Amino acid sequence: MATEHAAHHDDHHHAPSFFQRWFLATNHKDIGTLYLLFSLTMFLIGGAMALVIRAELFQPGLQLVNPEFFNQMTTMHALIMVFGAVMPAFVGLANWMIPLMVGAPDMALPRMNNWSFWILPFAFSMLLATLFMPGGAPAAGWTLYPPLVLQGGSNVAFAVFAVHLMGISSIMGAINIIATILNMRAPGMDLLKMPVFVWTWLITAFLLIAVMPVLAGAVTMLLTDKFFGTSFFSAAGGGDPVLFQHIFWFFGHPEVYIMILPAFGIVSEIIPTFSRKPLFGYQAMVYATASIAFLSFIVWAHHMFTVGMPLGGKLFFMYATMLIAIPTGVKVFNWVSTMWKSSMSFETPMLFAVGFVIMFTIGGFSGLMLAITPADYQYHDTYFVVAHFHYVLVTGAVFSIMAAAYYWLPKWTGHMYDERLGKIHFWWSTISVNLLFFPQHFLGLAGMPRRIPDYNVAFADFNMWSSIGGFAFGFAQIFFCYIVWKCVKGGQKASDRVWEGARGLEWTVPSPAPHHTFTTPPVIRDQDLAHGDVTH
């Protein structure tokens, strides 16, 4: 027993090797860091692909790449940004912050946590490897529609396997998050006292478990159509390519909410902090999140208004889609009401959060336009759609991730980031991202189709401005990497309560949650339990 105790004691004094700490990580903070660094890497790779697209579209005519490679770029850019940048970033934030926010010592399933991360570098290595194979990557857009995707050579099998791995990783991460939130909350923290970020992730995790197997089914059917002679999506064999669209979008629509609900949670933490008052309508925010998640399952065919569905189907999907605007509007109203008549200050996280609210709302309004079935005939598959989803995914999801990085970096690193550089990054990103995507609304309304390498000379000016905005936005993110590196390396020490000036309740929550910083376990007295109150 004594030797065992001594060995255990020794373990504590010898820091783990680099390999042990990072490759065999079971600590939720280290795994969160791995996810965030991986996501940043993928963000830069996916961004480079977007710049290939924007460089080709800088002027009419074919100048840099052949049309086939251009379409490989659109496909890879989308898959990498969705599954490699945005989703892992949110999972990284969940790993870092959920245990701290619910008062848990770690995630519920730390070894599975390690596995769910380490699957990702292999999955994306495989996906990227298709670019270097004969015939190149699939060139059918991120939606992988047949029959187009089935022309992609045997590389389709490689890409499909990569997608399976990403799905496995997501499902394991989601199980872990649900297990942690439902089983490991500190005493006294009932569900309706959890921070909104924790709530949004709990709901997102259920969405992930529900829809990732649907995507797996769709891509497996593609695979058997291509290699095993089935005819799920081949009209010649009695199948239907539109069936693929139904299955894909039954996954794909909840998926886009998977990429925005955690963003809602982040913004609901940041706005109250810098407004110096609690979140307006905490319970309404939770119920609105749940409503959005539920409705996300019954609107999938609004991506398919032009396939020729019955009038009743069009009406149902139009009205159901418009219904989502209500809980989303409740959220925007509550964020604005939190800021209303408050003592706001505009540190970098708050700038990104306010930018999120304004620009995400622009994306919301163009989404409402796309929901109108007869109007959608004009918008469908044009740059208007591209503008819409980039407003919700770039100025929405990505801006919220930036906001979270600035907000929590001092907690993660012990150092303050450079506030002046952070503000420069915000304004540089905001101006360039609007220059990049706003003109695309006009291009789409004028009829420019998406996923094309060449276009009518009438579209030249807006495309030129859009490309300039794209390169400016891309370089702004390299500047962001410098800010993060500088902060990690050192700089002004962060105080115990980083945003103390901003709010007296730092690292707790805008909701009515127990107040403690989780540096030491909370002491619970009997009389507190009666009131559901936990303090130091």
Side-chain angles (χ1 to χ4, degrees):
M1 185 68 197
T3 48
E4 198 179 305
H5 182 73
H8 184 69
H9 192 67
D10 264 8
D11 271 330
H12 268 310
H13 284 286
H14 292 307
S17 68
F18 180 86
F19 179 83
Q20 282 173 312
R21 175 169 178 188
W22 296 107
F23 288 84
L24 310 178
T26 50
N27 175 313
H28 72 98
K29 297 179 179 181
D30 284 349
I31 293 173
T33 303
L34 286 169
Y35 266 110
L36 290 166
L37 290 173
F38 174 78
S39 133
L40 185 58
T41 308
M42 287 294 126
F43 182 56
L44 296 175
I45 293 172
M49 293 174 172
L51 293 187
V52 171
I53 295 167
R54 281 315 329 164
E56 175 58 62
L57 294 174
F58 183 76
Q59 58 184 35
L62 295 173
Q63 34 270 332
L64 292 173
V65 295
N66 66 39
E68 178 71 6
F69 184 74
F70 181 90
N71 284 336
Q72 291 175 25
M73 285 289 98
T74 61
T75 305
M76 297 295 277
H77 161 70
L79 289 171
I80 283 169
M81 288 305 206
V82 169
F83 296 110
V86 173
M87 289 170 69
F90 282 137
V91 178
L93 294 169
N95 264 297
W96 246 106
M97 301 313 300
I98 286 175
L100 303 183
M101 287 178 161
V102 300
D106 203 301
M107 296 294 280
L109 306 157
R111 311 263 303 198
M112 188 167 87
N113 208 8
N114 174 288
W115 194 33
S116 69
F117 171 75
W118 279 108
I119 284 175
L120 288 178
F122 293 95
F124 282 91
S125 302
M126 287 183 63
L127 185 65
L128 286 163
T130 59
L131 282 168
F132 303 99
M133 297 175 181
W142 84 285
T143 52
L144 304 173
Y145 279 180
L148 191 57
V149 74
L150 300 175
Q151 297 158 9
S154 50
N155 307 349
V156 172
F158 231 65
V160 164
F161 188 52
V163 169
H164 273 301
L165 289 176
M166 296 165 205
I168 292 168
S169 167
S170 291
I171 290 171
M172 289 199 297
I175 289 170
N176 208 345
I177 285 165
I178 292 172
T180 305
I181 295 171
L182 294 186
N183 295 325
M184 298 182 71
R185 298 192 306 283
M189 179 177 275
D190 356 332
L191 289 175
L192 279 173
K193 286 186 177 172
M194 299 193 309
V196 183
F197 178 69
V198 180
W199 257 116
T200 54
W201 244 117
L202 179 63
I203 290 166
T204 301
F206 278 107
L207 284 183
L208 274 168
I209 290 173
V211 303
M212 291 319 282
V214 178
L215 175 66
V219 294
T220 305
M221 290 153 85
L222 273 183
L223 208 60
T224 61
D225 269 14
K226 185 163 179 60
F227 297 103
F228 299 103
T230 56
S231 296
F232 292 113
F233 309 129
S234 160
D240 183 0
V242 176
L243 172 65
F244 178 86
Q245 297 191 25
H246 279 291
I247 302 171
F248 180 88
W249 286 115
F250 191 78
F251 144 81
H253 198 80
E255 165 64 27
V256 298
Y257 286 95
I258 287 163
M259 291 189 284
I260 203 67
L261 293 181
F264 292 165
I266 290 163
V267 169
S268 302
E269 303 296 324
I270 292 173
I271 287 177
T273 297
F274 297 99
S275 300
R276 297 165 178 74
K277 57 192 259 228
L279 183 67
F280 181 89
Y282 164 81
Q283 287 201 358
M285 286 301 235
V286 173
Y287 293 132
T289 307
S291 310
I292 290 169
F294 169 73
L295 290 170
S296 76
F297 280 102
I298 57 168
V299 298
W300 77 90
H302 67 206
H303 297 266
M304 301 166 54
F305 281 144
T306 57
V307 301
M309 64 175 90
L311 181 63
K314 287 175 185 169
L315 289 173
F316 170 81
F317 286 107
M318 176 167 79
Y319 292 138
T321 304
M322 289 178 160
L323 212 54
I324 288 197
I326 297 170
T328 313
V330 167
K331 286 185 165 297
V332 173
F333 177 83
N334 286 6
W335 291 322
V336 173
S337 302
T338 306
M339 295 184 274
W340 183 253
K341 292 198 173 177
S342 69
S343 315
M344 271 193 293
S345 60
F346 294 99
E347 287 85 354
T348 310
M350 184 62 161
L351 287 174
F352 273 100
V354 174
F356 167 95
V357 173
I358 294 167
M359 291 181 282
F360 172 78
T361 303
I362 293 174
F365 280 130
S366 61
L368 206 51
M369 292 169 67
L370 287 158
I372 301 166
T373 311
D376 186 74
Y377 278 87
Q378 180 181 352
Y379 310 139
H380 186 83
D381 260 342
T382 70
Y383 260 81
F384 189 85
V385 179
V386 179
H388 155 70
F389 70 72
H390 282 89
Y391 264 89
V392 289
L393 284 176
V394 182
T395 63
V398 173
F399 265 46
S400 79
I401 293 163
M402 300 280 181
Y406 284 110
Y407 187 54
W408 284 318
L409 260 174
K411 173 133 188 96
W412 298 338
T413 62
H415 305 293
M416 278 307 285
Y417 62 88
D418 187 320
E419 185 64 62
R420 193 178 65 91
L421 297 185
K423 287 193 162 79
I424 292 170
H425 173 231
F426 168 76
W427 286 110
W428 183 357
S429 294
T430 300
I431 293 165
S432 58
V433 83
N434 282 290
L435 182 60
L436 166 55
F437 294 120
F438 207 81
Q440 295 179 6
H441 291 104
F442 305 131
L443 286 169
L445 291 177
M448 179 170 162
R450 53 194 279 208
R451 297 181 186 153
I452 49 141
D454 187 11
Y455 52 85
N456 188 299
V457 67
F459 302 134
D461 287 355
F462 280 139
N463 269 301
M464 181 190 74
W465 285 114
S466 185
S467 290
I468 291 169
F471 277 88
F473 183 71
F475 289 122
Q477 306 331 307
I478 294 169
F479 184 57
F480 171 67
C481 295
Y482 168 71
I483 297 170
V484 172
W485 177 76
K486 187 167 176 268
C487 175
V488 171
K489 205 168 54 99
Q492 184 197 337
K493 278 265 178 279
S495 62
D496 283 350
R497 293 170 173 268
V498 184
W499 308 113
E500 181 80 80
R503 186 162 186 253
L505 299 172
E506 190 40 33
W507 308 128
T508 63
V509 291
S511 49
H515 170 56
H516 51 65
T517 55
F518 306 120
T519 44
T520 53
V523 180
I524 298 138
R525 301 183 301 271
D526 289 342
Q527 65 265 39
D528 294 334
L529 285 175
H531 299 104
D533 211 13
V534 181
T535 54
H536 277 298

